[in-house]
Structures are given as C-alpha cells and as structure tokens.
C-alpha cells in the first residue's frame, strides 16, 4: 500500500507455501489457464509428514467449500447442487 502512495518502505518479509489440486486433471479440461492449476506439486522432504498433512488439509478444505456452496445455493433459492459443476 505504501508504495502506491509514493512512500518507500522495506519489502514484506514472509514465507508461503502453495499447492494446487491434489486430484488428477479432469480429462475434459483444455483451457491453458486452468491447466496451469493442475501443474505438479513440489513437496519438500522435511519435515516428515508435511505432504500428508497438506493433502489432508486440502481435502478437508475442498469438502468445506462444497458444503458452503450448497448452503449458498439454497439461500439463493437455487438447487442445492447448483454450484457442483462450477468448482
């Protein structure tokens, strides 16, 4: 924000780790922009259990997002499964 106001500040100091989907790419997916999301994930060797923990977390967040989208659909007077083909 500061740089958009013309103020110089030190850079943010942070670390992040991101992964993409842990499921195989859908056979029908051809959009190059979407295909990028299915690039292979790179996993570190340490700490032990890191990959399994992330995959469990990703699976659970996928489950929660599907549940929330079904709640949103019902709240919008749409069929409960309205968003299923959009995620």
């Amino acid at each position: 924000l500061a740089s958009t106001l013309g103020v110089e500040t030190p850079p943010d100091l942070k670390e992040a780790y991101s992964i993409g989907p842990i499921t195989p790419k859908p056979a029908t997916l051809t959009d190059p922009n979407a295909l990028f999301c299915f690039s292979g994930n790179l996993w570190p060797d340490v700490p032990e259990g890191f990959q399994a923990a992330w995959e469990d977390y990703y699976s659970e967040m996928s489950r929660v997002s599907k549940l929330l989208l079904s709640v949103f659909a019902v709240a919008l007077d749409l069929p409960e499964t309205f968003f299923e083909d959009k995620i």
Side-chain angles (χ1 to χ4, degrees), residues 2-87:
S3 65
T4 64
L5 301 174
V7 177
E8 289 197 31
T9 61
D12 289 341
L13 300 176
K14 62 183 175 196
E15 292 185 30
Y17 187 82
S18 297
I19 63 169
I22 58 174
T23 54
K25 170 187 76 69
T28 57
L29 188 65
T30 59
D31 178 357
N33 294 317
L35 285 171
F36 172 77
C37 295
F38 285 89
S39 299
N41 293 314
L42 302 175
W43 299 104
D45 294 329
V46 291
E48 186 175 326
F50 184 80
Q51 180 176 349
W54 261 97
E55 288 178 344
D56 289 347
Y57 175 77
Y58 192 97
S59 295
E60 189 61 17
M61 291 300 101
S62 293
R63 186 193 68 76
V64 169
S65 66
K66 290 174 185 174
L67 175 63
L68 286 172
L69 286 173
S70 68
V71 170
F72 296 158
V74 171
L76 294 167
D77 290 324
L78 298 168
E80 186 174 335
T81 58
F82 179 81
F83 293 110
E84 282 184 6
D85 64 339
K86 296 162 182 67
I87 54 174

